[in-house]
Structure formats: structure tokens, C-alpha cells
Amino acid sequence: MVLISTLSKTFGASGATIICGDKELQQKIKNFGGPLTFSAQLEPSAVAAAIASADIHLSGEIDKHQKELNEKINLFKKLVKNYNLPLIAYTDTPVFYLGTALPETAYNLVNRLQNKGFFVNPGIYPAVPLKNAGIRITISNHNQRTEIEELASVLHTEFPLALKETNNTIEYINKAFGLSTRSVTISDSNLKVSTFKSIKEIDKTIWNSLLGKDNALDYEGMLFVESYFGNLDKKNPNCMDFGYIKIESQKVQILALASVSMALWKEDMLSNVLVSEKLEEIRKKDPFFLVNKTLSTGSTFTEGNHMYMDANYKNQRVLKDVLLYALEQEFSLKEASKMVLRDFSKGDALGNYFLDKGYLIVEMPQTAIFEAFDFTASADFENVLTKRSKRHFKNDILPYIDTYEIKIQEQLSDSELQKAYELFLNVKENNLAINNFTYAFGLFEAMNKNNNWSFLQALDPLNHEMVGVVFCYKNGTNNSFNPILIGMSDSDQHRLILYRQLLFQTILYAKKENFEKIYFGVSAIFEKRKLGAKVYDKEAYVQLIDHYATDFLESFK
């Protein structure tokens, strides 16, 4: 038997003891144990403290100290209960955890207590779950009864003030810690919150003026996404449940608008490709390994700005709080395990706000947008490029411009659509940069029936067989032409040449049709940048119910 005990914590010293009943084992641990081999012995002061503590434990003095501490513990518990403070657990230990849920409230309360002469520690992520922030209070025999009583009194006064200043509530804290099932609301007499299940319930002009102008997909595009993914069988991994939030003033001025969707997300959807390759091997036997229900702004099919807030509203803090609580209400109702507020510019001022509200800031893949249409033909396209990109264009793009026959169609025949889908599957199977579930043929049939989609094809000039295709959405609100998905032949020996030509031909067609912008999306950012696209860093704000899946994902990196 081996008995291991710490000398720190309540023992009052540092280090640990290892007691062996076997002399041979004791020698092995002494000679080969890592901590003993690679660390120094305890300093004399620590040894002296351990001996002194052991003497107390071996004498009757320990009973006196424990009795005194127990009385002080019970006193503080009684005071906390009388003041109705949110103590998370009533135990017999001298360490107390007062819940605040939001890190912002914890920081605020710690500062208030410090100004009153009391030093306590905040408990925040990753020491505790994101929305389980609080303050950690330790009672010891060094504290006098009067000090304990004064601390409780100050908490009684300062805690409500910290809640008010950070727009928090006792109900919200209870809900965060599972102490209550009461609904949580943030109210403002000047604001009206409305939720909808379909974009059809929102005025098209309003949507496009606030959100459609900043996305690859406008109102009609979102209606397409909702109509297809929202009507899939509930067992289909690509099925989505949509929701929309609108906040208005008393004057019926729209102050905030957001779209959300609940869908199955692979935990590694935005992870490194090498991580996804490992997980996909496991998913051959277990298709839903590390897959969770996730509520996100926008959807797994869309990219761009999915949340509008009026920057001119006088009380920005209240507006943010009301919108966030509306989002979290959706999160709670849909019983998702993760909420992702995505596609914000990196370093956005909202980052600190969400951080204080208990969200993680997560880096997202970069996105590319092309707007450099200041050229007349392919020959002078290089004039919009940087010096280095000009060299790339002359060497890697221009010499191959006639390699493929380019054709644009608004609608494909059945055989052409089937071929286009096969090309998409070739890319999907070999590209895990955005690792979501594979789209079924039905999505492409829906595109083919919708007037807002076009199919840019690259054909082999010898047999006129389709070897590449770009599925493009035409956004009439911001006059953009947007490649949403791509397909390429597996047998083409020059896949990189083909890919570059598909990108360049998309630019040429957009120029010809007088489009003003191309949302090139994520992945292959280097190639898009070399063709004159501007690259933007993005981030997301993430709330987790359970950290297990996220922590487990780290083991695959």
C-alpha cells in the first residue's frame, strides 16, 4: 500500500508525504520518482512549518482550533442565508463561493469589496465554467467575528449595486447555476423584443437595408437557405431550425436585428485540417462522434454579418444586454450545448463586452472580398494587383486563360447537374478546411430551380466535359456575385491551374455583368489574395454548456 497526503491546504505547509509499507518500493520511488529526481528538497522553513503543524495535529490544540473555525463557518453561513446572498453550496468547509454568473459582475464586486477593505478572489474561466463566475471567500481563525459580520453586511449592500451596474439579476445567477428554473428577462420600457420563426415575417426592405447589404446572401438568399435546410427531415444532419430577433424602440425604430439557426456542428468544424482528418477516421464507424447541437448567428451555409445593432442608440449598454438576453433565451429554449456568435471583425469592440459576459473569443478562418474592378479586360487586370501578385498573374494565370472553355448557365440539365454534384463531392471529400456535413443532391436541385443562382463551368475543350463548376449566388441588394460552393474533377492533372482559372473567370464574369463585389468566402485565402481580394480577420464569441467536447478535441491536436 502507498499512502500519499498533501502538506499544503489546511495542513498549513507545503509539499507532500509518501508512506510506503514496502522498503523496496520506497527505494524505487526515492531513486526513480520524477518529482524527487527533478525537483529540490523542501526549504527549511517549509519543513519547520510542517513539523509545527504535525505537532498541533498530534495535540489537543487541534480540537480547539477546529471548534473555533467551525463556529466562524456557521456564523458566515447564517449571515449569508439571512441576507439572501447566492451562496452556491452550504457546506462545512471554510471556503465559500458566491455566484455572480457573469465575470463582469465578479470583477465589479471584487473591486467594491476591496474599496471597503476586504480582499477576495474572483472565480472565472477556466477555473470555473464560463457562466459560473463568482467570488471565492475563505474564512480562517485569523478573522475576528466582527470582521466576518462586517463582510456579510458589506456584501448585502454592495452585491445589489454590482448586479445593477452590470445589468445582472439574482434570477439569472440562479439559472446559470441550476438553482432555479424561473425565466430571466432584462427590461427597458423603451424597447420591444420580437422573435420570429421565419424570415417571411420580417419586411424584405428592412432586412436588406440592415443585413442583406453586408452579406453574400440577401433576403432572397436567406429565404432560400431557410426553405431548403429548414424543411429537411429532423434526422438529417443538415437540418436547421431558424429564428430571428428584432428589437424596436417605442417609435417603431429598429434598433437590432439578428438571425440564428440551430444545427448539428462537428466540434472540429473550424479546426486544423489535420485534426479533422483524425476525427473523420473515427466517424467512419461513429458518424456523430464529437457532434453537438449548436445555436449560431447565421448558419453553417452563410457567411457575413448576421447581427445588426444601431450604433446611434443613446443607451448602447442596455441595447447590447437586451439583444444578448434574447439570444440566450433562444439558446435555452433550443437546448443547444454551444452558442456561437460569429463573423465579427477581429478586435471588434464587442469582444470585451462578450468577454465580460462569460464568452470565449475564438479565432475564425479569414474571409476574402474582391472589389478591385478598376480594369477593362483580362490583359490589364494586373494593374489592380500588387507587384508580387502581378508576377503571379503573369506566370500562373494568364498563360492558362484558354486552357478551359468557360460557360455560364442559369440552369443546368439533369445530367449537367448530376455531373456538377459529382465535382462538388470530389472537392468536399478532399477539403476539410470547413468540416461540416456533406450536402445532399437536393440542395443543388433547389439551386437549379432558383433564379438567383448561376453555374460557372470550366469545360475540357477536347470533349466539352465539365471539369470544374462554381455555384454562385447573385445578391441584388449589394450587387455582388458570390461563389458559395465549388466542384472540380479528381482526374484533372492540373487541379491548381483549374482552381485558379475558376477564381479568375468568376472575377471576369462579375466585371462583365457590372457586379461591384465578390464574397469569396473562407479557405484558400492565399490564392484569393493573389488575385486582388482583400482579406479580413474574423472572430466569434462562444458560450459553452459543457467543456468536455472542447477539452477532448485538444487531445487530437
Side-chain angles (χ1 to χ4, degrees):
M1 182 185 76
V2 178
L3 177 64
I4 300 174
S5 176
T6 180
L7 296 177
S8 54
K9 297 291 184 181
T10 56
F11 200 80
S14 61
T17 60
I18 304 176
I19 302 172
C20 300
D22 186 312
K23 182 69 175 179
E24 183 180 349
L25 179 58
Q26 183 262 342
Q27 286 298 314
K28 283 184 179 180
I29 294 173
K30 182 178 179 181
N31 294 325
F32 303 109
L36 292 177
T37 304
F38 297 104
S39 64
Q41 69 276 13
L42 291 176
E43 63 274 13
S45 60
V47 175
I51 293 172
S53 181
D55 288 340
I56 293 174
H57 278 77
L58 293 170
S59 71
E61 189 179 351
I62 188 66
D63 297 324
K64 173 189 172 184
H65 290 309
Q66 288 178 338
K67 182 176 182 295
E68 182 183 350
L69 180 59
N70 194 51
E71 289 173 354
K72 291 177 179 178
I73 290 170
N74 289 329
L75 170 63
F76 189 67
K77 285 197 295 186
K78 180 182 178 182
L79 292 168
V80 166
K81 190 171 185 179
N82 289 343
Y83 286 133
N84 199 27
L85 294 169
L87 187 64
I88 301 309
Y90 284 86
T91 63
D92 294 327
T93 72
V95 181
F96 298 86
Y97 195 70
L98 204 64
T100 64
L102 302 181
E104 182 183 26
T105 308
Y107 290 133
N108 187 293
L109 185 56
V110 165
N111 289 332
R112 287 176 174 276
L113 291 175
Q114 189 169 332
N115 291 336
K116 297 292 184 180
F118 294 95
F119 183 80
V120 297
N121 292 313
I124 57 172
Y125 178 85
V128 298
L130 283 166
K131 281 294 182 72
N132 285 171
I135 62 171
R136 193 171 183 267
I137 300 169
T138 303
I139 300 295
S140 77
N141 277 337
H142 293 292
N143 301 125
Q144 302 302 312
R145 292 178 64 90
T146 53
E147 294 173 335
I148 296 171
E149 291 168 351
E150 186 180 353
L151 171 61
S153 177
V154 169
L155 278 169
H156 176 58
T157 303
E158 298 295 331
F159 193 80
L161 297 176
L163 291 179
K164 184 177 181 181
E165 194 167 307
T166 58
N167 223 342
N168 200 350
T169 64
I170 288 292
E171 289 81 11
Y172 185 79
I173 294 170
N174 287 337
K175 187 172 185 295
F177 285 93
L179 303 177
S180 170
T181 57
R182 287 178 288 177
S183 62
V184 180
T185 59
I186 291 289
S187 62
D188 185 297
S189 58
N190 296 316
L191 301 182
K192 175 187 175 184
V193 180
S194 303
T195 58
F196 311 96
K197 293 186 176 180
S198 173
I199 197 171
K200 296 176 183 177
E201 301 174 72
I202 300 174
D203 182 85
K204 176 180 177 179
T205 303
I206 290 173
W207 181 272
N208 282 336
S209 66
L210 300 180
L211 289 175
K213 62 183 179 62
D214 296 322
N215 284 279
L217 306 184
D218 55 4
Y219 182 93
E220 294 294 337
M222 287 298 299
L223 183 59
F224 170 84
V225 172
E226 180 189 301
S227 299
Y228 175 75
F229 292 101
N231 287 305
L232 293 175
D233 187 281
K234 296 297 182 184
K235 295 181 180 179
N236 190 312
N238 280 315
C239 178
M240 300 182 198
D241 185 13
F242 293 88
Y244 304 86
I245 298 168
K246 181 173 70 174
I247 299 175
E248 298 172 292
S249 67
Q250 285 185 331
K251 297 179 181 179
V252 200
Q253 174 190 358
I254 295 181
L255 302 175
L257 188 63
S259 68
V260 297
S261 66
M262 207 283 292
L264 290 178
W265 278 40
K266 295 180 179 180
E267 193 67 35
D268 57 307
M269 187 170 79
L270 303 177
S271 295
N272 184 282
V273 171
L274 296 176
V275 174
S276 293
E277 287 176 352
K278 295 176 184 177
L279 290 173
E280 287 306 317
E281 284 299 314
I282 298 174
R283 290 186 182 122
K284 288 178 181 179
K285 294 183 178 179
D286 183 1
F288 295 100
F289 179 71
L290 284 186
V291 173
N292 292 301
K293 289 169 64 177
T294 299
L295 181 78
S296 73
T297 48
S299 72
T300 55
F301 190 80
T302 59
E303 182 236 344
N305 181 23
H306 303 104
M307 194 169 84
Y308 162 81
M309 284 191 293
D310 187 346
N312 297 317
Y313 182 63
K314 60 182 180 179
N315 197 333
Q316 284 292 305
R317 179 54 182 268
V318 169
L319 179 58
K320 292 174 186 175
D321 286 346
V322 171
L323 178 56
L324 179 59
Y325 276 90
L327 287 165
E328 291 187 342
Q329 194 71 9
E330 287 287 310
F331 184 37
S332 177
L333 290 172
K334 295 185 184 300
E335 298 181 338
S337 61
K338 180 193 298 185
M339 180 159 71
V340 181
L341 310 177
R342 44 173 289 228
D343 293 348
F344 292 91
S345 298
K346 190 173 183 179
D348 194 294
L350 279 172
N352 288 332
Y353 169 80
F354 283 110
L355 201 60
D356 287 340
K357 294 297 182 182
Y359 285 71
L360 288 173
I361 299 180
V362 177
E363 185 175 309
M364 287 193 65
Q366 294 174 311
T367 187
I369 300 176
F370 183 89
E371 296 177 281
F373 286 103
D374 191 19
F375 66 95
T376 55
S378 57
D380 65 344
F381 177 74
E382 65 178 89
N383 294 332
V384 304
L385 302 176
T386 63
K387 185 177 180 179
R388 179 178 293 183
S389 294
K390 284 180 182 178
R391 186 163 59 250
H392 163 72
F393 178 71
K394 289 178 180 179
N395 296 335
D396 302 326
I397 304 291
L398 204 54
Y400 304 98
I401 197 168
D402 295 322
T403 302
Y404 305 99
E405 179 184 333
I406 303 300
K407 183 167 71 171
I408 305 287
Q409 288 179 261
E410 302 298 310
Q411 192 172 35
L412 301 178
S413 66
D414 290 345
S415 60
E416 288 172 331
L417 187 63
Q418 185 63 50
K419 179 63 178 180
Y421 181 60
E422 291 172 6
L423 296 179
F424 160 75
L425 290 179
N426 288 337
V427 172
K428 174 59 181 169
E429 290 169 2
N430 293 290
N431 183 8
L432 298 176
I434 302 295
N435 192 25
N436 52 11
F437 289 98
T438 301
Y439 299 129
F441 183 61
L443 172 64
F444 301 86
E445 289 181 306
M447 289 180 185
N448 206 33
K449 295 175 183 177
N450 189 291
N451 295 330
N452 294 310
W453 290 87
S454 294
F455 305 90
L456 188 150
Q457 304 153 72
L459 310 179
D460 186 324
L462 297 178
N463 55 22
H464 304 291
E465 181 181 347
M466 189 190 307
V467 293
V469 59
V470 186
F471 305 87
C472 300
Y473 180 80
K474 297 171 289 187
N475 183 332
T477 300
N478 57 19
N479 196 28
S480 62
F481 185 70
N482 307 305
I484 305 299
L485 298 173
I486 192 169
M488 293 191 297
S489 173
D490 239 359
S491 59
D492 195 290
Q493 297 179 356
H494 308 288
R495 283 174 61 85
L496 184 56
I497 291 174
L498 172 59
Y499 180 70
R500 288 168 173 168
Q501 285 301 314
L502 288 173
L503 292 180
F504 183 53
Q505 293 296 337
T506 299
I507 293 173
L508 291 182
Y509 179 77
K511 170 67 177 179
K512 176 186 173 184
E513 298 299 318
N514 296 315
F515 286 102
E516 299 173 10
K517 184 181 292 188
I518 300 173
Y519 285 87
F520 267 129
V522 300
S523 79
I525 289 297
F526 183 63
E527 294 296 332
K528 295 165 184 176
R529 191 201 303 268
K530 288 191 293 185
L531 280 172
K534 289 185 178 179
V535 175
Y536 299 89
D537 295 324
K538 296 292 181 177
E539 65 186 22
Y541 312 124
V542 180
Q543 175 63 248
L544 304 170
I545 292 295
D546 188 336
H547 294 259
Y548 171 76
T550 303
D551 292 341
F552 189 34
L553 184 66
E554 291 295 317
S555 66
F556 290 88
K557 294 184 179 179

